Amino acid sequence: MTEELTQKLQQLSTGKKAVYIDELSGSDDSGNGSEQSPFKTALAALISVSGESDNLEFLVKKAPSTPEEVVSYNPIASSALKKAKKGYELHVKKTKKQAEQKEKESLAALAKQEEESRRIEESKSIIIKEDESLPAATTVKISHCSDYRGKRVKVYGWVHRLRVQGKDFMFIVLRDGTGFLQCVLTGRLCNTYDAITLTLETSVVLYGTVTAVPEGKSAPGGHELIVDYWEVISKAPGGNEAISNKVSSDSDPSLLYNQRHLVIRGETASSVLKLRSYTVKAFRDYFDSIEYMEVTPPTLVQTMVEGGSTLFSLPYYGETAYLTQSSQLYLESCVPALGNVFTISQSYRAEKSHTRRHLAEYSHLEAEAGFINFEDLLNLIEDLVCSVVDSVQKHPIAGPILKQLNPNFVPPSRPFLRMEYKDAITWLNEHGIKKEDGTDFVFGDDIPESPERQMTDAINRPILLNRFPGPIKAFYMPKCKDDPRVTESVDLLMPNVGEIVGGSMRISTLEQKLEAFKTQGLKPEEYHFYLDLGKYGGFPRGGFGLGIERFMAWIADRYTVRDCSLYPRFPGRCTP
């Protein structure tokens, strides 16, 4: 007769029910005490029977002490059962305490809910009115509040932050797009229905006196609004629809792009867009200072500039049109009429690039100048970048924003490093940077983004990389007279960002254009306006294009150019 069968017969003779405990493979979570589904611990077994053990037989299967030992169920040792009972007593006390605490919390929550309901009901009867004996309030923007200290003003905006202290004290940080203003509400102003149910992003109007903050305290602008009257204009939702549930720093990027209209209300996103606005203005001011005329070329075109594979096509009154890749050809046509010109327009590239520095639609600063040489062009690019950075840093609003976004920003020093393409090939090979197939770079290779970035980051200064081979550059770039293998072309590379400017001299004679068109397979009749530049008084000229978003990613230290666009467009994203 086996030992297990003997145990079962003993249990039958004593009339006690068996509860099985398997310390090897049992489970306290899913076990029920049967032989097929045993518990793992004696404590779990006792809990399952509410501590009653008189009519039960606890059988335990323990780990073998030697590899040869046969494992089987045996009655639990009295010391082990005693220990389990002590554990059960502690469990009962703990469970009781938890239940009491839960009931206490439940009663407290109910009392709080009842108190809130009572306050809300009472608040509906509290009506506040503007004190007509006070001076008339002047409507001001937050950015101008420093000019109105000690005076009564009226400010419109949105509740950016909200802090309630007790029943009679509230702090509202108001945002109106021009800045932030701390507003203090006291007494009955905090007891109205609107006050008790106030939510973030609610639009309001606040009346009060602008006062310097007390010594030792801080607030945006160094002052606060002591509110004497206020009104809700439009209440924002709370609960699941609250803005804090719509956008948060740990949200998936795709969700944040869907909620971009709410994301840009945040301090960082709005700061980037403000800095962008001041930076674009600095670009315009620079060109104005050197007497370049701004023009607005069309974005609907029927010609290409940078290659047909990156064109977005669309139907246009029975014909095919494209979204422009560049306004360069139009700018060139303007020079004989207007002199040197520039534009800040949208350009489009249908590349299926998901890198952090590519967009399908981007803001393109382009400039064209007549009667300049290649050295003049390099000097112009360098001077533009340095002058704009200097202007932004010195601006009373843009400067602090730049410092806030990129506290470690160091403006580029002149002169920029001027490196020829052939020397870049040598540098890459000397530093062991290989092509994707593991081989060395050779003259004529197009240097991909990653090796280019590695080189730029290692050198850690702006690089005017120039004189690229003709076959890897655009058709309109002229050959260098001292080396016809290369062209008068340049890319400006910035550490941590890569290329932000691409430029070149332009072919100028009719013969050069026709030869380039033939090589590229372009139809001359589609470019008659461009060909006429060589026919009606051809002239030497050069120009460049700068990506505003890439420039912003550099100075604002943003990981991706998408953060520098109002509503970024890239493969798979054309909303909202």
Side-chain angles (χ1 to χ4, degrees):
M1 182 180 294
T2 65
E3 186 175 353
E4 288 190 12
L5 181 58
T6 302
Q7 292 170 357
K8 290 181 180 179
L9 290 174
Q10 289 175 345
Q11 293 161 15
L12 289 172
S13 65
T14 59
K16 293 185 177 182
K17 179 183 176 181
V19 178
Y20 291 88
I21 303 164
D22 188 340
E23 295 180 354
L24 294 173
S25 59
S27 172
D28 289 344
D29 294 326
S30 59
N32 59 19
S34 66
E35 188 175 1
Q36 295 75 24
S37 183
F39 291 111
K40 188 176 183 65
T41 66
L43 176 59
L46 278 173
I47 291 173
S48 71
V49 295
S50 301
E52 296 294 332
S53 60
D54 293 343
N55 297 317
L56 299 174
E57 183 74 21
F58 295 93
L59 301 177
V60 182
K61 184 185 289 186
K62 293 181 173 291
S65 55
T66 64
E68 296 78 16
E69 182 181 349
V70 178
V71 179
S72 61
Y73 282 105
N74 292 296
I76 189 171
S78 58
S79 59
L81 182 59
K82 185 177 181 180
K83 182 179 179 181
K85 287 182 176 181
K86 286 184 178 179
Y88 174 75
E89 291 174 359
L90 291 174
H91 166 77
V92 171
K93 291 180 179 178
K94 182 179 179 181
T95 302
K96 183 180 179 181
K97 187 175 181 180
Q98 288 176 339
E100 291 173 348
Q101 181 64 26
K102 188 175 181 179
E103 183 180 4
K104 183 178 179 181
E105 291 174 354
S106 178
L107 291 173
L110 181 60
K112 183 179 179 181
Q113 183 178 352
E114 291 176 348
E115 172 63 16
E116 288 179 354
S117 297
R118 184 189 63 77
R119 283 192 66 203
I120 288 175
E121 286 303 312
E122 288 182 356
S123 70
K124 293 177 181 179
S125 63
I126 298 175
I127 306 298
I128 58 173
K129 294 182 180 181
E130 184 179 2
D131 187 346
E132 296 181 357
S133 67
L134 294 173
T138 303
T139 302
V140 299
K141 292 291 186 180
I142 289 175
S143 59
H144 294 157
C145 279
S146 59
D147 299 329
Y148 288 84
R149 290 191 179 181
K151 298 179 181 178
R152 188 166 184 262
V153 299
K154 176 168 62 172
V155 188
Y156 293 89
W158 292 264
V159 178
H160 188 69
R161 285 195 291 272
L162 175 64
R163 180 160 54 95
V164 178
Q165 289 186 340
K167 296 179 181 180
D168 299 316
F169 216 80
M170 287 174 59
F171 285 99
I172 292 175
V173 174
L174 193 69
R175 183 191 74 244
D176 72 349
T178 72
F180 300 91
L181 177 64
Q182 179 170 287
C183 308
V184 182
L185 287 74
T186 58
R188 287 171 60 82
L189 298 178
C190 305
N191 302 143
T192 65
Y193 179 78
D194 283 337
I196 292 174
T197 60
L198 190 60
T199 52
L200 296 180
E201 294 305 319
T202 291
S203 54
V204 297
V205 56
L206 304 176
Y207 297 69
T209 303
V210 181
T211 307
V213 294
E215 187 175 349
K217 303 291 184 178
S218 63
H223 49 246
E224 58 190 3
L225 184 70
I226 306 302
V227 179
D228 57 58
Y229 177 68
W230 70 293
E231 295 175 357
V232 166
I233 296 172
S234 178
K235 184 163 290 186
N240 292 334
E241 288 294 307
I243 190 170
S244 55
N245 289 325
K246 288 283 188 177
V247 295
S248 64
S249 58
D250 57 354
S251 295
D252 184 89
S254 63
L255 296 178
L256 292 179
Y257 287 127
N258 285 337
Q259 304 295 334
R260 182 69 176 165
H261 58 295
L262 299 178
V263 170
I264 61 176
R265 299 186 182 199
E267 293 175 36
T268 298
S270 63
S271 291
V272 172
L273 294 176
K274 288 176 183 177
L275 180 63
R276 174 186 166 124
S277 178
Y278 289 113
T279 302
V280 169
K281 184 179 184 301
F283 278 119
R284 286 196 164 96
D285 289 344
Y286 173 81
F287 281 114
D288 183 61
S289 73
I290 59 173
E291 299 182 335
Y292 275 52
M293 187 75 68
E294 183 171 9
V295 295
T296 308
T299 55
L300 284 173
V301 300
Q302 290 186 304
T303 55
M304 66 179 184
V305 180
E306 301 292 343
S309 63
T310 64
L311 282 168
F312 284 110
S313 63
L314 69 158
Y316 185 75
Y317 301 110
E319 299 180 289
T320 298
Y322 308 98
L323 296 176
T324 186
Q325 303 161 311
S326 168
S327 298
Q328 175 197 322
L329 304 187
Y330 295 105
L331 292 181
E332 289 186 52
S333 74
C334 292
V335 174
L338 303 173
N340 298 339
V341 293
F342 79 99
T343 188
I344 300 177
S345 305
Q346 298 302 95
S347 285
Y348 305 84
R349 301 287 171 89
E351 299 171 271
K352 293 184 178 179
S353 297
H354 291 273
T355 74
R356 58 190 175 117
R357 68 188 201 119
H358 281 92
L359 290 168
E361 176 188 13
Y362 64 99
S363 295
H364 204 179
L365 183 155
E366 297 180 90
E368 293 292 326
F371 304 106
I372 65 170
N373 58 38
F374 191 45
E375 186 67 18
D376 294 331
L377 178 64
L378 299 182
N379 291 336
L380 174 63
I381 293 172
E382 179 179 299
D383 190 53
L384 168 72
V385 170
C386 291
S387 297
V388 167
V389 167
D390 184 57
S391 177
V392 169
Q393 285 191 300
K394 290 180 179 178
H395 193 279
I397 300 176
I401 294 176
L402 174 58
K403 186 69 175 177
Q404 168 203 339
L405 292 171
N406 190 0
N408 298 318
F409 179 74
V410 177
S413 57
R414 309 192 201 200
F416 291 176
L417 175 63
R418 302 188 180 193
M419 175 186 282
E420 292 190 16
Y421 162 87
K422 63 181 177 62
D423 296 325
I425 294 294
T426 301
W427 192 97
L428 292 171
N429 292 333
E430 287 179 348
H431 289 78
I433 298 175
K434 306 290 185 180
K435 294 192 289 188
E436 285 189 355
D437 61 6
T439 61
D440 284 345
F441 284 93
V442 297
F443 188 92
D445 286 335
D446 192 0
I447 303 175
E449 175 189 352
S450 178
E452 183 181 81
R453 285 281 299 274
Q454 291 181 61
M455 179 184 72
T456 308
D457 291 350
I459 294 174
N460 196 31
R461 59 182 291 199
I463 302 173
L464 285 165
L465 188 61
N466 60 83
R467 291 167 63 98
F468 292 89
I472 65 173
K473 301 304 282 186
F475 70 89
Y476 49 76
M477 299 183 180
K479 297 176 182 178
C480 293
K481 293 179 180 178
D482 62 336
D483 185 354
R485 298 179 307 161
V486 297
T487 57
E488 291 184 315
S489 52
V490 61
D491 287 345
L492 174 58
L493 311 179
M494 284 294 182
N496 301 317
V497 178
E499 178 192 345
I500 63 171
V501 177
S504 76
M505 296 301 291
R506 317 306 195 189
I507 56 177
S508 58
T509 69
L510 181 59
E511 293 74 18
Q512 289 174 326
K513 294 176 188 294
L514 290 172
E515 180 60 31
F517 279 30
K518 182 179 179 181
T519 302
Q520 295 294 319
L522 300 176
K523 298 177 181 179
E525 61 271 18
E526 295 179 353
Y527 295 81
H528 69 279
F529 76 96
Y530 182 64
L531 291 173
D532 278 353
L533 288 176
K535 184 177 180 181
Y536 294 93
F539 60 100
R541 58 191 177 275
F544 62 87
L546 176 148
I548 296 293
E549 288 81 7
R550 289 190 186 180
F551 189 91
M552 291 304 305
W554 167 52
I555 66 171
D557 192 26
R558 298 301 96 184
Y559 175 75
T560 171
V561 294
R562 297 174 184 180
D563 292 342
C564 304
S565 175
L566 180 60
Y567 287 98
R569 298 293 185 251
F570 49 90
R573 171 64 57 182
C574 199
T575 58

